[in-house]
Amino acid sequence: MGRIIPIEKVRNIGFMAHIDAGKTTTTERILYYTGMSYRMGEVDDGTATMDFMEQERERGITITSAATTCFWRGYRINIIDTPGHVDFTIEVERALRVLDGAIAIFCAVGGVEPQSETVWRQADKYKIPRLAFINKMDRVGADFEGCIEMMIDRLKANPVIIQMPLGTEDSFHGIIDLIKMKAIVYDEDTFGARYSYIPIPEEFLKKSQAYRQRMIEKLADFDEEIMEAYIGEKEINEQQICLALRRATLSFSLVPVLCGAAFKNKGIQQLLDAVVDYLPSPIDIPPVKGKNPNGEEEVRPASDDAPLAALVFKIMTDPYVGHLSFLRIYSGSLTTGTSVLNAGKGIKEKIGKLFKMHANKREEISEVYAGDIVAAVGLRRATTGDTLCDERAPIILETMEVPEPVISVAIEPKTQEDQEKLGNALRKIALEDPSFKVAYNEETSQTIISGMGELHLEVIVDRLFREFKVKANIGRPEVAYRETITLKVKSEGRFIKQTGGRGQYGHVWLELSPLSRGMGFNFIDATSGGVIPKEYIGAIEKGIRDAMEKGVVAGYPVIDVEVKLIDGSYHEVDSSDVAFSIAASMAFKEGMKKAKPIILEPIMCLEAIVPDAYLGEVMGDITARRGKIIGIEPRKNVQIIKAYVPLSEMFGYATKLRSTTQGRATYSMHFSHYEPLPTKLAETLTARKTIH
């Protein structure tokens, strides 16, 4: 059949922002103006197309990233709407991994909020060009210039203003295009679908000229063509500005800033124009890199003629078609019924059906090409992060980082029938969500589920009850503590077992050293002279990693440790992988006992927005929760409190904050780092674990 839309006219974009900045509302308007939907869904009414889960509609928040496709000016725009709540950060992470460009949406009142900073850093990590859209310009307290300043201070961004608001708060009724130097006003009778360009009103003319001058000066800093015209005092036309803006955006030099009010249907068409004009197509970004079976780096250009390379970035269970695998096609093409190689697992899989997704609705297609984002049915063994490729040209693409869970609850099925249902349901959810973990506690005979926060687990439990019809009892949330060491020690592990036939022999000397917080685990083979053959080194590292899963203080996983293999011995006949793995495990546990082990607790970064009248009470409550206040920032009639607080002290905080401030304060919280648990609390925790 062949490609209908050329690859240079494809845009793969995502929305990213703090919760309640207006991502889903903006997406709904885009779908309406591009003719993909015939009515505007509203988040508050529970009618948003992109929020299709019951839990999303009830809470008025986005929980899972949803993909859709629309068309504008002959361009195909694939959109992923991501959650704003920090508990669902994996959804943002995996969306940004496969996108070419992004739109960061900021609330004109709240400005750059905590999750905005998190997603901005994620976009920096994946080197994603982006636009900024300052939304809610119609709200009381809207501060356009304040938002720009916060972008510079908090995000270290380099914004270039290409639009300014025509009025603000109640008087906001359009935008001023600083490239065309025209004002745009919207027709209320057509829900903003029709708009017209008018001369800039006199009272805004001076300010808009100053903004335009600043825009030209910023572009001149990064673009030679604009610089020459500017120095030579030549006329700079629209086309020159647009091309310079595109070059500066794609090189991460500048972030174009637009504004509007999505809920009031203002500014959306111009945002779509900016997506087409300034954000990259798949051929504007560097070719994707991966490794071939020999471990050598290879690249795959964004071309239909190149060998297939696709990344599975999301798994979803669909009640009608079953297992849906979301794919980003980086190179090559794919047709229904084709066999592909799952490179990481070394298995062949067959593509059953291919779909273009529109939230939870599907449009079946027979062929997909480089740059496309689609869903496939029939991939039974595929999981998030897997690479699908041509078996004649195998490649493994770089996967994505999955954050470690920080909170757990015990779950017990009520009946034997529910036991089986629960197991199946948890397997499906864990497959969909890599940041969700399931474990079985042998000592207590309980199933432990772990996630990124209280809301994350609350949503999962709700799905178990409603979607999977499981009846179960839920325990009290448990914090994901960790263990580490505080001294450098040497330890020996010797595993010798003589039976009737061939025996077992493994002998190692290890040196354990503490690492800085957040460094994880580092293994170094420092042996020389062949005291231990190289073929056993992998088994030794595995033995150490196995031992680290359960620390010696209270059985929590061990982190931030460097282990150096310094000596050992082997037996020509009796040595084996198993023997060295056991010896290394014994040596690590013995060494850890001598290295003054301690328990670490997760510390959260809390940001509370509090009316002035309640500042003292809220600060007192944070301090009582062992919190350390690291800053207070005044903003219009409110104070922003930033603090580090132990997660174990934060259960039920939402209720307490609401009651203290009569529901007028809000907060957000995300994992920051681990810190040693105070000795008395560690003793209590260890005693409790021993009793259990």
Side-chain angles (χ1 to χ4, degrees):
M1 188 174 131
R3 179 189 280 280
I4 298 168
I5 291 185
I7 193 167
E8 61 272 15
K9 289 197 163 189
V10 173
R11 300 287 182 269
N12 292 313
I13 65 158
F15 290 107
M16 55 185 212
H18 189 85
I19 191 168
D20 204 30
K23 294 182 302 301
T24 303
T25 303
T26 304
T27 311
E28 293 297 322
R29 278 17 181 209
I30 284 175
L31 295 179
Y32 179 75
Y33 296 134
T34 56
M36 298 306 292
S37 63
Y38 298 98
R39 59 185 294 274
M40 289 185 191
E42 301 295 356
V43 174
D44 294 343
D45 300 342
T47 57
T49 307
M50 303 299 277
D51 287 349
F52 54 84
M53 287 173 67
E54 284 180 52
Q55 291 83 358
E56 293 178 312
R57 292 185 166 175
E58 285 173 1
R59 291 169 173 79
I61 61 168
T62 302
I63 290 168
T64 182
S65 54
T68 191
T69 298
C70 62
F71 299 87
W72 186 254
R73 282 172 38 191
Y75 286 72
R76 175 177 173 170
I77 304 174
N78 297 316
I79 300 171
I80 298 182
D81 177 27
T82 64
H85 197 286
V86 71
D87 282 16
F88 309 106
T89 189
I90 183 63
E91 292 288 340
V92 184
E93 183 83 20
R94 59 184 171 190
L96 290 175
R97 170 66 183 83
V98 298
L99 292 172
D100 303 329
I103 299 170
I105 299 184
F106 302 102
C107 169
V109 181
V112 177
E113 295 169 283
Q115 185 63 2
S116 309
E117 295 181 56
T118 305
V119 295
W120 194 271
R121 282 196 301 272
Q122 286 172 306
D124 283 341
K125 180 170 78 176
Y126 290 117
K127 294 187 166 57
I128 293 178
R130 66 215 82 152
L131 306 174
F133 181 65
I134 298 177
N135 192 24
K136 305 191 180 185
M137 283 307 310
D138 59 316
R139 288 266 301 273
V140 175
D143 184 355
F144 181 71
E145 290 181 349
C147 278
I148 303 293
E149 283 169 23
M150 289 174 81
M151 283 179 68
I152 296 165
D153 294 343
R154 289 193 171 195
L155 304 177
K156 305 294 180 270
N158 194 359
V160 55
I161 299 166
I162 63 171
Q163 290 177 359
M164 64 172 268
L166 188 63
T168 188
E169 298 183 348
D170 290 346
S171 64
F172 176 73
H173 56 284
I175 57 177
I176 295 171
D177 184 329
L178 299 171
I179 300 170
K180 289 182 165 58
M181 281 305 277
K182 295 274 187 186
I184 305 169
V185 290
Y186 297 84
D187 180 3
E188 302 286 345
D189 295 337
T190 60
F191 301 105
R194 288 204 199 106
Y195 56 90
S196 50
Y197 285 92
I198 62 168
I200 298 170
E202 190 64 39
E203 67 267 32
F204 294 101
L205 195 55
K206 194 174 179 184
K207 194 169 190 179
S208 59
Q209 285 168 341
Y211 269 135
R212 181 185 163 88
Q213 180 70 11
R214 225 180 297 168
M215 174 183 74
I216 300 289
E217 286 170 2
K218 275 211 165 189
L219 284 173
D221 288 341
F222 296 99
D223 195 276
E224 282 185 26
E225 192 182 322
I226 299 290
M227 173 64 87
E228 285 173 20
Y230 181 65
I231 291 171
E233 296 183 358
K234 294 176 186 168
E235 182 68 31
I236 299 170
N237 62 37
E238 275 181 45
Q239 190 182 7
Q240 286 175 298
I241 293 172
C242 288
L243 288 172
L245 271 170
R246 181 173 181 78
R247 289 191 288 266
T249 306
L250 298 190
S251 64
F252 314 106
S253 306
L254 295 171
V255 178
V257 178
L258 301 92
C259 62
F263 187 65
K264 294 290 176 68
N265 314 315
K266 292 178 174 66
I268 305 303
Q269 295 94 328
Q270 287 68 40
L271 181 60
L272 280 164
D273 286 338
V275 166
V276 164
D277 292 338
Y278 310 129
L279 290 183
S281 75
I283 56 173
D284 292 320
I285 60 170
V288 69
K289 292 178 183 176
K291 291 194 173 170
N292 64 24
N294 301 324
E296 298 158 347
E297 190 171 88
E298 285 192 16
V299 296
R300 289 280 190 273
S303 163
D304 301 342
D305 301 323
L308 174 71
L311 187 75
V312 179
F313 69 93
K314 180 180 169 75
I315 302 291
M316 196 170 93
T317 305
D318 188 286
Y320 302 104
V321 297
H323 198 70
L324 266 179
S325 304
F326 284 75
L327 313 175
R328 163 67 196 261
I329 314 295
Y330 282 101
S331 64
S333 60
L334 192 57
T335 52
T336 304
T338 311
S339 285
V340 293
L341 176 68
N342 185 327
K345 294 188 170 77
I347 55 171
K348 282 169 77 172
E349 300 239 39
K350 192 170 184 180
I351 303 290
K353 289 181 178 178
L354 290 166
F355 295 107
K356 192 161 67 175
M357 294 301 293
H358 182 49
N360 64 334
K361 296 182 177 66
R362 302 164 304 281
E363 179 190 327
E364 193 168 340
I365 48 179
S366 58
E367 202 166 2
V368 293
Y369 302 93
D372 285 349
I373 291 177
V374 293
V377 173
L379 302 171
R380 297 179 183 278
R381 303 276 297 280
T383 52
T384 300
D386 283 357
T387 300
L388 304 180
C389 60
D390 188 324
E391 56 188 299
R392 292 164 299 182
I395 189 170
I396 297 178
L397 304 178
E398 184 189 345
T399 187
M400 58 205 79
E401 288 177 28
V402 178
E404 281 297 310
V406 295
I407 186 170
S408 306
V409 295
I411 183 165
E412 291 175 333
K414 288 187 175 176
T415 66
Q416 191 61 41
E417 185 193 353
D418 287 314
Q419 176 82 49
E420 198 173 324
K421 272 190 191 174
L422 178 66
N424 290 333
L426 291 176
R427 269 192 296 277
K428 284 180 180 175
I429 294 172
L431 192 64
E432 290 179 15
D433 184 352
S435 66
F436 170 67
K437 299 279 188 286
V438 183
Y440 185 72
N441 189 321
E442 298 283 353
E443 295 169 20
T444 59
S445 301
Q446 286 178 317
T447 299
I448 308 296
I449 58 174
S450 307
M452 300 304 298
E454 278 186 283
L455 181 61
H456 188 197
L457 289 185
E458 183 190 307
V459 167
I460 283 167
V461 167
D462 195 37
R463 285 187 66 193
L464 288 172
F465 292 167
R466 278 205 235 179
E467 200 176 311
F468 297 99
K469 307 289 189 285
V470 175
K471 293 186 177 74
N473 296 316
I474 308 298
R476 186 181 175 276
E478 290 288 332
V479 174
Y481 293 102
R482 295 288 183 263
E483 296 183 22
T484 194
I485 60 172
T486 56
L487 289 180
K488 186 175 180 176
V489 298
K490 290 179 182 175
S491 64
E492 182 184 24
R494 191 189 292 268
F495 180 68
I496 302 172
K497 193 173 181 184
Q498 202 61 50
T499 53
R502 181 179 164 179
Q504 294 282 2
Y505 185 95
H507 173 224
V508 299
W509 272 96
L510 304 178
E511 183 179 271
L512 278 61
S513 308
L515 288 176
S516 303
R517 291 292 81 84
M519 295 292 285
F521 169 63
N522 192 25
F523 174 74
I524 300 168
D525 174 18
T527 57
S528 58
V531 291
I532 297 172
K534 292 294 177 192
E535 64 259 33
Y536 297 128
I537 303 301
I540 290 168
E541 184 176 352
K542 183 182 181 301
I544 294 164
R545 286 184 182 275
D546 290 346
M548 287 176 69
E549 286 178 12
K550 210 168 182 184
V552 299
V553 183
Y556 293 111
V558 181
I559 59 169
D560 301 337
V561 175
E562 181 176 273
V563 179
K564 202 179 277 185
L565 175 63
I566 53 173
D567 203 358
S569 62
Y570 73 103
H571 189 280
E572 288 282 0
V573 178
D574 292 349
S575 284
S576 66
D577 281 353
V578 172
F580 271 106
S581 184
I582 294 170
S585 179
M586 290 164 64
F588 181 83
K589 285 179 179 171
E590 195 55 44
M592 196 172 169
K593 286 175 189 171
K594 297 190 291 185
K596 284 202 174 172
I598 57 169
I599 295 176
L600 300 171
E601 64 175 339
I603 304 297
M604 309 303 282
C605 183
L606 171 76
E607 185 162 303
I609 301 172
V610 183
D612 293 337
Y614 304 103
L615 182 65
E617 285 176 83
V618 173
M619 284 175 62
D621 182 54
I622 290 170
T623 308
R625 293 171 186 269
R626 296 194 287 123
K628 293 176 195 161
I629 291 165
I630 54 172
I632 300 168
E633 181 188 319
R635 214 182 286 170
K636 283 185 183 174
N637 305 322
V638 295
Q639 300 285 337
I640 315 291
I641 304 172
K642 282 191 173 182
Y644 289 133
V645 194
L647 175 61
S648 59
E649 305 287 346
M650 294 304 287
F651 297 128
Y653 183 67
T655 309
K656 173 71 176 173
L657 186 67
R658 270 198 300 269
S659 62
T660 303
T661 65
Q662 297 177 359
R664 292 172 60 199
T666 59
Y667 81 99
S668 64
M669 185 171 74
H670 64 269
F671 171 73
S672 174
H673 60 281
Y674 275 95
E675 275 183 14
L677 184 66
T679 309
K680 279 198 171 180
L681 292 174
E683 286 168 1
T684 307
L685 183 66
T686 308
R688 200 170 77 222
K689 289 282 283 186
T690 308
I691 291 164
H692 285 299

